[in-house]
Amino acid sequence: MMRRLLVLAAFGLAACNQVPAPRVDSEGMAAQKVMDAATTVYAECISGHAAAIPVGDEAAGSLALGILKTCKAARDDLLVKVAKFRLIGHPKDGQPMADAVAEASVQAIDDELRGNAVVTIVKRQTAAATVKTDTKI
């Protein structure tokens, strides 16, 4: 009996001294990283264009819609990655459901990014109008 306890204690001590194996990302975790990177690319496309587009007197909402169209390739890439991510977690739902969920998810992002673009454009238009007013004095 005592010998068994000593053997178990020795194995226990040996196990405590071992370094754990490095963590390996699961398929879902890897897909989420890819999806997050695609989201960042899409968001940066829109915010970058909002910060650089000539604003003039055109309505900020119209300019923002144009920016969304300009960034369509990044949006399409994001849609594919969101659908792929969805299929990992819900494989039985199938591709049509994954595509529908991806579209709804990206649409929610579109709304927020468009709103942010409008704010950026309005700020730029206001700053440009202030500069024009200051130079007339």
Side-chain angles (χ1 to χ4, degrees):
M1 179 76 162
M2 182 60 103
R3 186 174 180 168
R4 283 186 182 169
L5 287 176
L6 289 174
V7 170
L8 287 174
F11 280 122
L13 286 175
C16 290
N17 291 329
Q18 291 181 359
V19 177
R23 183 175 164 196
V24 177
D25 285 350
S26 67
E27 181 184 8
M29 293 169 76
Q32 183 173 6
K33 287 179 182 179
V34 169
M35 182 179 63
D36 290 346
T39 303
T40 300
V41 167
Y42 182 46
E44 288 175 351
C45 178
I46 291 174
S47 63
H49 280 83
I53 192 171
V55 290
D57 293 333
E58 190 172 346
S62 297
L63 290 170
L65 285 174
I67 291 170
L68 288 175
K69 290 176 185 174
T70 301
C71 296
K72 186 177 181 332
R75 183 185 194 279
D76 291 345
D77 183 54
L78 177 58
L79 275 172
V80 169
K81 289 179 171 64
V82 172
K84 187 178 287 188
F85 179 73
R86 170 73 183 182
L87 280 173
I88 292 169
H90 304 276
K92 292 181 181 178
D93 287 351
Q95 190 67 48
M97 177 61 86
D99 291 341
V101 170
E103 181 61 43
S105 299
V106 174
Q107 183 61 49
I109 294 169
D110 285 344
D111 293 343
E112 183 176 341
L113 293 175
R114 182 180 176 273
N116 292 343
V118 167
V119 169
T120 299
I121 292 166
V122 168
K123 285 180 181 179
R124 291 182 58 222
Q125 287 174 329
T126 303
T130 303
V131 170
K132 287 179 184 177
T133 304
D134 289 344
T135 56
K136 290 182 180 180
I137 296 177

